[in-house]
Amino acid sequence: MKGTCFLVKSGYWQQSLFLFAVFLSLQMSGCQGNSYTNNLLDAKNRTTTTSPETTNHSFSRYHSDTLPEDCFFCGDGEKTFPFLYQGQKNLGIINLNTLELSPIIINQYDDFGKQIEEAVSNAMNLLEGAYSLVLISSTKMIAARDPYGFRPLCYGKMADGAYVAASESCALSAVGAEFIRDVLPGEILVFTKNGVESRREHCGKQRKRTCIFEYIYFARPDSVIDGISVHESRMKAGELLAESYPQCADIVIGVPDSGLDAALGYAGKSGIPYGIGLIKNKYIGRTFISPGQNERLDKVRIKLSPVKKVIDGKRVVLIDDSIVRGTTSKRIVKLLRDAGAKEIHMRISAPPFLFPCYYGTDIDSEENLIACHHSVDEIAQMIGADSLGYLPIEKLNKLIVSEEYCAACFQGNYPTKIPADLRKDRFERKLSERV
């Protein structure tokens, strides 16, 4: 639900449903996604329509004969996450996207609940995984965050009394809403014409594990997540890189957009001048989450352009947020070489990716992780850099001054049970290859 808003105004529910659909279509530049097509509901006509390619979130209308009213569920409709389902069928770990959670919630209403929030609470008893959900009916809006708090969720209030929920605080600012607070891990908020009710029966059941990659890459820098500024955490990463991997150079540049704040931090700590050496085409989505290798490379070719006047003849410190497969980094280094860079010293504001992520980051197999198969020096040679340095794993906690985060993709310490095989091609491979 990156950068997406949901609005409820006391006494004007039908009007609010229409506004809810409008807010869903907002494109928050720099937020996660921007490459998928939404399924957007026209609340006025009660039909399903398709929105422009803005964010990777969708919502659907669900009807059950025992429900008092139709409900509209919103979440990330593209990505699939593993959930430990502990229901009567004992399915074990199953793969669901957040919209596929909605039938489970509906079933809980049919079987046990008399209120929609009761169905949400019952469903949360059965599921263990990463999710932030918002659903709306004609009388209430409900926002829920998983007990681990993997994904962020917050809410605010408009000047006219309307409530807004979003995954990032920057979305609240964009629509003129005043930030109130973050939704707690495990909390269920019920918005009605009488105000906001907080249900906390699931709070404190698990140790908080907010995804650290939200601060490194996913979130927009002007967002504040759980009281921590994304911009400041990235600046801190750059400072830590300067301390850990100092380098004699003429200029520090960042890879837009998530590498810019870390580059500022590195420049400030090292005393090396900061410069704008790469220009981003703002009409191209994020290459990290592009599904295919060829698509990623095509996007890099037209996404970034070097500023030759800034780079030519210079020793460059290049800051980026991560290296996954190495192909994008290799292309960026080549762009700088072709622009006349004398030396290129790459610094990464995250530790090496060594393990798959099962909570929303598009890292599905160790086969695709370059750091699993090559040393740091080998990777530097492969991407064409003169040197390479990653953020030390032991300094990761300094980004948010807390130990309450998930870094399983760096360390392998998964907070939940994980599936044996979640590779994207698991259904295409021959049985003999599924070892």
Side-chain angles (χ1 to χ4, degrees):
M1 297 185 297
K2 288 306 218 188
T4 303
C5 302
F6 311 86
L7 184 144
V8 175
K9 184 176 180 179
S10 301
Y12 299 95
W13 296 100
Q14 288 296 341
Q15 177 183 1
S16 297
L17 278 171
F18 176 73
L19 291 174
F20 164 68
V22 173
F23 279 128
L24 263 173
S25 68
L26 288 174
Q27 178 174 0
M28 307 305 297
S29 176
C31 291
Q32 177 184 359
N34 297 345
S35 62
Y36 297 109
T37 300
N38 296 336
N39 294 319
L40 194 60
L41 182 78
D42 181 342
K44 182 177 179 180
N45 298 317
R46 296 294 180 105
T47 58
T48 300
T49 61
T50 300
S51 75
E53 295 188 356
T54 53
T55 62
N56 63 335
H57 310 106
S58 57
F59 73 95
S60 296
R61 173 187 177 189
Y62 283 87
H63 174 78
S64 172
D65 291 337
T66 57
L67 281 175
E69 54 209 350
D70 287 354
C71 289
F72 304 90
F73 294 80
C74 181
D76 184 333
E78 298 290 341
K79 292 185 181 298
T80 300
F81 314 120
F83 287 89
L84 177 62
Y85 183 68
Q86 300 169 329
Q88 294 178 347
K89 293 183 179 180
N90 193 24
L91 297 178
I93 296 176
I94 58 177
N95 298 325
L96 299 172
N97 62 43
T98 47
L99 287 186
E100 291 169 340
L101 288 176
S102 40
I104 295 177
I105 295 174
I106 295 298
N107 288 338
Q108 291 305 304
Y109 183 92
D110 291 343
D111 293 343
F112 303 108
K114 294 185 178 181
Q115 299 292 330
I116 299 174
E117 55 267 34
E118 292 291 340
V120 173
S121 182
N122 287 332
M124 290 175 68
N125 283 326
L126 301 178
L127 293 164
E128 185 178 65
Y131 57 89
S132 286
L133 299 173
V134 174
L135 60 97
I136 190 171
S137 71
S138 62
T139 59
K140 65 184 67 173
M141 180 175 75
I142 298 172
R145 188 178 180 187
D146 75 79
Y148 291 93
F150 285 111
R151 296 296 157 202
L153 189 62
C154 63
Y155 79 99
K157 195 172 185 179
M158 304 283 283
D160 62 358
Y163 288 103
V164 183
S167 64
E168 290 185 34
S169 59
C170 67
L172 305 183
S173 302
V175 297
E178 180 183 358
F179 173 85
I180 296 178
R181 67 175 176 87
D182 293 285
V183 179
L184 300 174
E187 185 178 19
I188 302 171
L189 292 179
V190 184
F191 301 85
T192 68
K193 63 182 179 180
N194 298 319
V196 185
E197 175 191 356
S198 172
R199 299 186 50 150
R200 304 189 178 186
E201 59 263 34
H202 298 286
C203 294
K205 289 185 175 181
Q206 305 292 345
R207 185 180 176 186
K208 185 180 177 184
R209 284 287 184 266
T210 303
C211 174
I212 195 66
F213 211 54
E214 290 282 351
Y215 296 95
I216 295 171
Y217 173 81
F218 280 138
R220 219 171 72 168
D222 54 337
S223 287
V224 177
I225 300 175
D226 292 332
I228 305 296
S229 165
V230 174
H231 167 71
E232 291 180 358
S233 65
R234 291 178 185 172
M235 287 274 290
K236 185 63 177 179
E239 294 171 0
L240 294 171
L241 281 171
E243 293 175 357
S244 303
Y245 299 99
Q247 182 63 50
C248 292
D250 302 308
I251 192 169
V252 178
I253 68 172
V255 177
D257 284 317
S258 47
L260 299 180
D261 305 83
L264 281 170
Y266 191 102
K269 189 69 174 180
S270 66
I272 302 172
Y274 170 81
I276 299 176
L278 290 168
I279 301 297
K280 176 186 175 183
N281 181 338
K282 298 185 181 298
Y283 301 99
I284 300 298
R286 301 184 112 172
T287 58
F288 180 94
I289 58 175
S290 297
Q293 176 64 19
N294 291 334
E295 182 179 348
R296 280 190 293 271
L297 289 176
D298 288 341
K299 283 189 174 182
V300 171
R301 291 187 187 102
I302 60 177
K303 177 179 179 178
L304 298 174
S305 299
V307 183
K308 185 176 177 64
K309 187 71 175 180
V310 174
I311 297 168
D312 193 17
K314 303 286 182 63
R315 297 170 298 172
V316 177
V317 174
L318 175 66
I319 310 293
D320 203 357
D321 56 78
S322 60
I323 299 178
V324 182
R325 305 159 189 87
T327 50
T328 299
S329 299
K330 182 178 180 180
R331 175 64 181 171
I332 294 173
V333 170
K334 186 178 187 302
L335 285 175
L336 299 180
R337 292 283 189 201
D338 293 344
K342 185 178 179 180
E343 297 176 9
I344 301 174
H345 303 276
M346 195 161 194
R347 301 292 181 262
I348 304 299
S349 59
F353 281 118
L354 296 174
F355 301 91
C357 174
Y358 301 100
Y359 309 115
T361 305
D362 192 20
I363 303 172
D364 65 332
S365 172
E366 294 179 10
E367 296 175 3
N368 298 321
L369 302 178
I370 192 171
C372 287
H373 311 289
H374 302 280
S375 67
V376 173
D377 290 340
E378 288 173 339
I379 296 172
Q381 184 177 7
M382 292 171 68
I383 64 176
D386 293 281
S387 68
L388 173 64
Y390 289 90
L391 181 71
I393 189 70
E394 64 271 14
K395 296 185 178 181
L396 198 57
N397 63 323
K398 294 185 179 181
L399 300 189
I400 59 173
V401 197
S402 171
E403 300 288 345
E404 295 182 325
Y405 59 86
C406 176
C409 53
F410 306 128
Q411 298 172 315
N413 51 345
Y414 298 101
T416 68
K417 293 181 180 180
I418 60 173
D421 187 4
L422 197 63
R423 286 177 289 184
K424 294 178 181 178
D425 66 341
R426 62 191 182 280
F427 299 117
E428 287 78 20
R429 286 179 287 117
K430 297 177 181 179
L431 289 174
S432 60
E433 296 173 347
R434 299 181 191 179
V435 180

